Amino acid sequence: MLEFRRLISLAFVVTMPLGLATAQPAVGVTSGVSGPVTGGAFNLPQSNWSGLDTLGYVETEWFLDGVATGYEAVGPWGSDGIWPAVESGTTTFRTRILVRRPVEPARFNGTVVVEWNNVTAGFDIGPTWTASYDEIVRGGYAYIGVSAQSVGVNAMKTGDPGRYETLDHPGDRYSYDIFTQAARSVRGAQARVLLPGLAVDKGLATGESQSASRLVTYINAVHPLERAFNGFLVYSRGS
């Protein structure tokens, strides 16, 4: 369990993003954020949350496009949680991010919770949001659910191709950098589209169960290279 003690102690400054955002509907593979996404069979996001308007919050759905980097281990990874890694290969991607934010900027507390969506059920869910949305809303947090893994993306494409057919996930070896790019989208030019009027001070990553296990790899191997988050909440993880 030494790696767990190490990972929960990490805290770094969020880095600035690369690229510019666009509010135009997503067409093809570009770079940055596009949307908000509309249309499809239900004209609603998968995993949408009803009743947010009565709480002073709004939900929007966006596509995130870019070039993702893979990583590979350098030497053996042991129980000390020091897992050196190097970049290994790149490819294009398009995934989905779901944003829930306060309508009134004055209500925002400056912190964005970025969840690695769980796909154990075969589709995207956000356990952290479900378990703590009352605290998120009460505290004035913004929230972003990231479709980091291919299972969730493919389930959306199958469930509502009219809305999600252009999504393109190249495989889970790229999930770590996709998650990093989602974190960086809440800063700078892209944030003005995703979080209009909100000034972001901190980004906190979270993941439960399978997502928590992947965050262990992210924290120990990828975060030392990228420094994209200020802190982490990793829970319900097997040993």
Side-chain angles (χ1 to χ4, degrees):
M1 296 302 290
L2 291 174
E3 73 275 22
F4 183 69
R5 289 199 293 272
R6 175 176 180 269
L7 69 86
I8 62 174
S9 67
L10 296 175
F12 297 96
V13 176
V14 177
T15 55
M16 295 300 291
L18 300 175
L20 298 176
T22 172
Q24 299 300 314
V27 178
V29 175
T30 58
S31 179
V33 171
S34 55
V37 182
T38 59
F42 310 104
N43 199 28
L44 288 170
Q46 179 173 313
S47 305
N48 75 296
W49 197 267
S50 61
L52 282 178
D53 55 333
T54 65
L55 302 174
Y57 268 62
V58 64
E59 176 185 80
T60 54
E61 185 179 44
W62 305 81
F63 290 153
L64 177 65
D65 300 274
V67 177
T69 298
Y71 301 91
E72 62 182 34
V74 176
W77 286 357
S79 61
D80 60 1
I82 300 174
W83 296 358
V86 294
E87 296 181 355
S88 177
T90 61
T91 190
T92 58
F93 74 92
R94 165 173 283 180
T95 194
R96 185 280 297 266
I97 54 178
L98 198 61
V99 178
R100 296 167 180 141
R101 60 174 174 84
V103 174
E104 296 296 331
R107 188 174 171 186
F108 180 50
N109 70 4
T111 298
V112 181
V113 177
V114 185
E115 180 162 19
W116 185 307
N117 285 348
N118 186 287
V119 296
T120 300
F123 52 85
D124 264 9
I125 59 173
T128 301
W129 169 265
T130 301
S132 57
Y133 75 90
D134 51 351
E135 175 61 24
I136 290 173
V137 170
R138 180 168 54 240
Y141 296 85
Y143 168 91
I144 294 183
V146 182
S147 299
Q149 291 181 247
S150 59
V151 168
V153 169
N154 292 336
M156 284 185 283
K157 294 175 68 172
T158 300
D160 193 348
R163 190 178 183 92
Y164 300 116
E165 63 183 348
T166 65
L167 294 180
D168 180 24
H169 197 296
D172 284 355
R173 73 183 301 266
Y174 298 99
S175 62
Y176 304 101
D177 192 45
I178 290 172
F179 194 64
T180 296
Q181 293 191 41
R184 288 176 173 160
S185 72
V186 303
R187 294 294 184 120
Q190 296 184 54
R192 291 195 289 271
V193 176
L194 295 177
L195 304 171
L198 306 188
V200 176
D201 180 50
K202 297 181 179 68
L204 302 179
T206 183
E208 182 265 351
S209 191
Q210 179 185 163
S211 298
S213 296
R214 297 194 73 85
L215 276 182
V216 171
T217 299
Y218 184 93
I219 294 166
N220 289 347
V222 178
H223 188 69
L225 303 175
E226 303 297 342
R227 304 292 198 268
F229 292 97
N230 295 92
F232 299 86
L233 172 62
V234 179
Y235 65 105
S236 297
R237 179 180 71 90
S239 61

